Amino acid sequence: MWIGFAEFDYLLGDVHSLKHKRSIVRPIVAEIRRRFSVSASEVGHLDAHRRAVIGVAVVAPDRMHVMDVLDEIERCAASRPEVELLSVRRRVIASTDV
């Protein structure tokens, strides 16, 4: 079994409240979950108005499938015009490494 995870660090546009931030971040998380059938959640900068970190996790029987799914999610994450993707951190491990 292979496990892959990634964190996408975003800079949000002209956001001045946490409510407005949630209205931007929630649809991104929902789209990632729906399109790729992965676990996804906002995991960082929870109290900052203009920053967000979204984490995703993928489990699959082979490494290449995990890498392909993470590549597709990264392309999707970078294509959002309302936010700027600052950085991506990824890691793929085998269950025997845990």
Side-chain angles (χ1 to χ4, degrees):
M1 175 174 67
W2 289 86
I3 304 136
F5 49 93
E7 289 183 335
F8 302 96
D9 189 1
Y10 288 104
L11 176 63
L12 307 179
D14 189 27
V15 175
H16 298 291
S17 71
L18 293 176
K19 184 176 181 180
H20 186 203
K21 174 186 177 177
R22 282 192 307 273
S23 73
I24 294 170
V25 173
R26 278 187 182 165
I28 296 171
V29 171
E31 180 183 8
I32 291 170
R33 286 179 180 163
R34 181 184 52 78
R35 281 184 61 189
F36 303 102
S37 296
V38 297
S39 295
S41 181
E42 183 180 1
V43 296
H45 299 299
L46 300 176
D47 293 330
H49 294 167
R50 298 196 61 224
R51 295 287 297 276
V53 177
I54 295 175
V56 299
V58 181
V59 176
D62 63 80
R63 185 178 191 280
M64 280 309 299
H65 182 71
V66 170
M67 294 298 291
D68 290 344
V69 171
L70 289 177
D71 288 343
E72 286 292 319
I73 293 170
E74 187 172 342
R75 279 192 282 281
C76 176
S79 71
R80 304 295 296 217
E82 69 274 20
V83 295
E84 179 183 348
L85 183 60
L86 298 176
S87 66
V88 179
R89 290 184 298 175
R90 293 170 37 152
R91 184 149 183 223
V92 176
I93 59 173
S95 59
T96 57
D97 295 340
V98 178

